[in-house]
Amino acid sequence: MKDPVTFSALNRAADIEKLKTETFDLLVIGGGITGGGIALDAASRGLKVALLEKGDFASGTSSKSTKLIHGGLRYLKQFDFWLVKEVGSERAIVHKLAPHLVLPEKMVLPLIEGGSYGKWLTSIGLKVYDILAQVTGDDKRQMLEKKEALKLEPLLPKKILKGAGYYAEYRTDDARLTIENIKTSLFYGATALNYAEVSQFIYNKEGIVSGVVAKDRIGDTEFEVSANNVISAAGPWVDELRSLNNSKKGKRLHLTKGVHLVFPYKKLPVKHSVYFDVPDGRMIFAIPRGKVTYVGTTDTNYNEDKDHVNTDLADAIYLISAVNNMFPSIELELSDIQSSWAGLRPLIHEEGKSASELSRKDEIFTSDSGLISIAGGKLTGYRKMAERVVNRIGQRMEEASGEKLKACSTDTIPLCGSDFKKYKQVEKYIDEVSKRLAKEGFSHQDAWFLVTTYGKQTEDILRRYGAFKDKNKQWRLLKAELHFALEYEMIQNPMDFFIRRTGRMYFDLESVREFKDRVVQEMGGLLKADKDTMGSWKQTLEAEIERHSSFELERA
């Protein structure tokens, strides 16, 4: 595994200077999973690529999904076989590229009296799912009788349970998958900048987009970026940029909100991920992850502030009711919620269809001025979405100059942190790190977190841990992660670190509360931040903790 390329806020001025003074083959707007995937695809084909993100990388939809690399079983019910086939096949590829980050996850699908899925149709459906997704070996679906299902998952409702389907999916950290795609693109010469908001487009004499004006939200200055091609992969903000480009016509976005709740594992101790019925006909996931279990998701129309999407009391009550209905012995309450997140799906509007009925297919729009926009799609399909849109650039280049762009090869490019051929090597490495850390008083869970977050980059973090001197070993390890993120992952503030680089705001909120002040002080010193900036960080961090962990009646 190569060492990651330095990617630091300390180099921000030099990065902006490069963006201002050079002309790029491609400028990507949006630093979510789609934009990150496009940057890697295009740069690895030899294009000179720049990427701009108005907030932090993955701060929109790409840190707020259900965090599954899955084939979309429910789309079989909509007869969307093409989507199931593509994303089903992609699961295995993305797992191969980063087996430490895309983890095998067996899924239980309970069959209940009056439920959405009957035994016969589920058996056929899962069989078709396996065929479309080219599933092999032990991962092929099994149909379980009631006794087998209860043995596998004792919390299921005995009275109404008829059996279960048992099949394979993959779990990931969506924000980590995004940052590792962007970091990998740097090996191929890409330039990426967060907190750089596109405010207008620049056009040449023929009226073709030739760049953008961007605002540096850290330094509060504006700069121009020149590019031969511009792709907007801005997720929920795609239509705003199409309006800015005077090209919002025809199809448009339809935003829906998805909410997830996090509970301590002891409150919802499911042994496997469970994909279960809700009385209103929707399906919900309950997914164990280390010390917690998270539950999601809702699917409701959204027309409010896209930059501040909250979990409402109604959302929380809906999900808790769904869990209590499927796991009658659990009896969750609002006070059991540890944290939550809420995000938006940028789907393509279809007249007469409800939020849940809308297709998850992606769509590419090309304006008369040459701006290419991509929207819709699923996390699992990000690599194929990137391939399709970069192929458009290739066609354009070939028509203009006869120059042929190399074919996509991202299915063979391991992501940063991956030096593993198979998942068994990941498990072996977790055990090895666990033995090393046990001498320092850390748990196996600590080793699991490091390896499934950073992969082999864990070695860099452990080296830093060994060099730091502090009696509080938990702080020493967190400080090592912080220094790594500052040097290689372009964090600009503590929220980037706690929410999107480590997921602690969602999955280990107590550690955020415990170490927030130390992180503010450490970052402030390293980034030479003034007292006002550090005070603002602290205030924002406290507000984020409150936002992710409490549900006020006025939000309902």
Side-chain angles (χ1 to χ4, degrees):
M1 186 195 79
K2 299 180 201 171
D3 289 334
V5 176
T6 300
F7 189 37
S8 172
L10 294 168
N11 298 338
R12 189 174 181 84
D15 289 334
I16 291 174
E17 189 59 29
K18 183 179 181 182
L19 290 164
K20 283 163 62 175
T21 55
E22 299 184 14
T23 299
F24 294 86
D25 295 318
L26 173 63
L27 169 64
V28 183
I29 305 171
I33 189 60
T34 308
I38 292 167
L40 175 55
D41 187 305
S44 63
R45 297 202 211 187
L47 295 182
K48 187 175 180 179
V49 176
L51 181 148
L52 299 178
E53 162 57 47
K54 77 167 191 164
D56 183 30
F57 304 120
S59 58
T61 299
S62 297
S63 56
K64 301 182 183 82
S65 73
T66 306
K67 306 181 189 297
L68 288 174
I69 296 292
H70 68 119
L73 177 64
R74 77 184 185 87
Y75 306 124
L76 281 179
K77 290 173 73 178
Q78 299 173 357
F79 302 104
D80 207 339
F81 297 116
W82 176 88
L83 184 63
V84 174
K85 185 178 190 311
E86 178 170 284
V87 297
S89 303
E90 279 297 294
R91 295 179 310 171
I93 293 172
V94 182
H95 171 63
K96 180 188 75 174
L97 301 179
H100 66 288
L101 193 53
V102 179
L103 313 172
E105 186 86 4
K106 283 286 192 176
M107 196 75 65
V108 177
L109 175 64
L111 306 176
I112 60 170
E113 290 173 15
S116 303
Y117 289 86
K119 191 170 185 177
W120 185 73
L121 278 175
T122 300
S123 180
I124 292 174
L126 286 175
K127 182 71 175 174
V128 171
Y129 191 60
D130 280 356
I131 292 167
L132 291 175
Q134 300 167 5
V135 176
T136 58
D138 292 342
D139 282 346
K140 283 186 175 179
R141 71 96 169 92
Q142 299 171 48
M143 295 306 296
L144 307 175
E145 296 299 326
K146 180 174 179 174
K147 269 189 180 179
E148 294 174 299
L150 284 169
K151 188 176 179 183
L152 204 63
E153 193 51 73
L155 294 177
L156 292 173
K158 293 183 180 67
K159 285 185 180 179
I160 58 172
L161 187 69
K162 298 167 78 174
Y166 190 48
Y167 64 106
E169 296 286 20
Y170 294 93
R171 179 164 53 78
T172 193
D173 180 324
D174 47 6
R176 290 295 317 172
L177 190 63
T178 301
I179 194 68
E180 299 299 13
N181 266 275
I182 292 170
K183 284 163 61 181
T184 307
S185 77
L186 305 182
F187 285 124
Y188 298 92
T191 303
L193 194 69
N194 51 3
Y195 296 96
E197 183 172 4
V198 170
S199 57
Q200 62 187 85
F201 290 99
I202 299 168
Y203 303 88
N204 64 17
K205 289 176 184 176
E206 288 75 39
I208 303 300
V209 170
S210 60
V212 300
V213 177
K215 181 180 179 182
D216 172 17
R217 295 175 64 189
I218 303 293
D220 200 25
T221 58
E222 281 195 336
F223 60 95
E224 294 184 1
V225 183
S226 298
N228 298 324
N229 299 280
V230 180
I231 293 175
S232 168
W237 294 269
V238 156
D239 276 356
E240 270 84 341
L241 287 169
R242 290 172 74 203
S243 293
L244 194 64
N245 179 243
N246 297 314
S247 60
K248 186 183 167 186
K249 52 190 175 184
K251 291 187 178 179
R252 59 183 171 85
L253 292 192
H254 184 133
L255 303 182
T256 74
K257 183 172 83 163
V259 165
H260 296 80
L261 304 179
V262 182
F263 301 93
Y265 180 75
K266 63 185 179 183
K267 291 287 186 181
L268 184 52
V270 286
K271 293 184 176 181
H272 298 79
S273 291
V274 184
Y275 184 40
F276 61 93
D277 278 271
V278 180
D280 68 5
R282 277 192 48 73
M283 298 290 290
I284 299 289
F285 289 102
I287 301 172
R289 186 191 188 277
K291 296 187 282 189
V292 302
T293 301
Y294 66 95
V295 174
T297 178
T298 59
D299 201 0
T300 53
N301 294 325
Y302 189 84
N303 298 301
E304 297 169 46
D305 184 355
K306 289 187 283 291
D307 291 302
H308 299 93
V309 187
N310 291 318
T311 300
D312 296 328
L313 187 63
D315 300 320
I317 290 170
Y318 174 84
L319 289 173
I320 284 177
S321 299
V323 173
N324 289 341
N325 184 68
M326 179 51 60
F327 306 108
S329 63
I330 291 297
E331 297 181 352
L332 288 175
E333 298 177 359
L334 283 169
S335 58
D336 294 322
I337 298 169
Q338 180 176 299
S339 61
S340 73
W341 67 88
L344 300 177
R345 302 177 191 86
L347 306 177
I348 309 302
H349 182 73
E350 296 174 71
E351 285 300 332
K353 287 199 175 182
S354 70
S356 295
E357 291 171 328
L358 291 173
S359 172
R360 267 55 177 171
K361 279 182 183 173
D362 56 279
E363 190 99 18
I364 298 172
F365 309 98
T366 304
S367 75
D368 294 340
S369 63
L371 173 69
I372 297 175
S373 302
I374 183 164
K378 288 175 58 60
L379 172 66
T380 308
Y382 81 87
R383 202 189 61 80
K384 294 300 287 185
M385 289 167 65
E387 180 181 356
R388 278 193 286 276
V389 79
V390 176
N391 283 346
R392 291 277 184 106
I393 300 297
Q395 288 169 3
R396 187 184 281 181
M397 287 170 60
E398 195 170 356
E399 287 166 9
S401 65
E403 185 183 351
K404 200 170 178 68
L405 192 62
K406 286 196 298 186
C408 171
S409 63
T410 53
D411 59 337
T412 64
I413 299 174
L415 298 182
C416 268
S418 180
D419 195 19
F420 308 102
K421 300 296 181 192
K422 294 181 179 177
Y423 182 65
K424 282 183 180 176
Q425 294 178 345
V426 177
E427 293 179 309
K428 189 177 176 183
Y429 183 54
I430 291 171
D431 289 340
E432 180 196 320
V433 171
S434 183
K435 284 174 188 171
R436 286 154 64 185
L437 283 175
K439 297 169 188 173
E440 296 286 308
F442 290 98
S443 68
H444 186 79
Q445 170 67 29
D446 293 316
W448 176 88
F449 167 78
L450 286 172
V451 175
T452 59
T453 303
Y454 303 104
K456 280 293 179 75
Q457 296 167 132
T458 297
E459 293 301 319
D460 186 303
I461 289 162
L462 293 180
R463 178 183 58 76
R464 292 170 193 264
Y465 168 80
F468 292 144
K469 306 298 176 195
D470 196 288
K471 287 180 182 178
N472 187 323
K473 290 180 179 179
Q474 290 287 351
W475 164 240
R476 272 172 61 195
L477 190 57
L478 187 66
K479 182 178 171 182
E481 290 180 65
L482 179 65
H483 278 242
F484 176 82
L486 275 161
E487 187 170 347
Y488 293 122
E489 299 194 334
M490 191 60 91
I491 58 171
Q492 305 282 353
N493 56 59
M495 285 62 68
D496 298 343
F497 177 67
F498 278 131
I499 300 173
R500 290 167 289 275
R501 304 302 184 274
T502 65
R504 277 185 169 84
M505 187 70 78
Y506 302 149
F507 302 121
D508 191 4
L509 195 58
E510 283 311 306
S511 72
V512 182
R513 288 192 172 106
E514 184 177 355
F515 296 116
K516 64 182 182 351
D517 293 342
R518 286 196 182 200
V519 166
V520 167
Q521 286 298 321
E522 189 72 16
M523 276 198 78
L526 291 165
L527 294 179
K528 298 180 174 60
D530 56 35
K531 280 187 178 180
D532 286 347
T533 299
M534 289 165 67
S536 173
W537 287 349
K538 190 172 179 180
Q539 197 174 16
T540 304
L541 197 46
E542 286 168 354
E544 287 291 331
I545 291 169
E546 178 70 14
R547 190 166 75 87
H548 284 87
S549 61
S550 66
F551 308 92
E552 297 155 12
L553 285 169
E554 57 263 30
R555 283 214 213 142

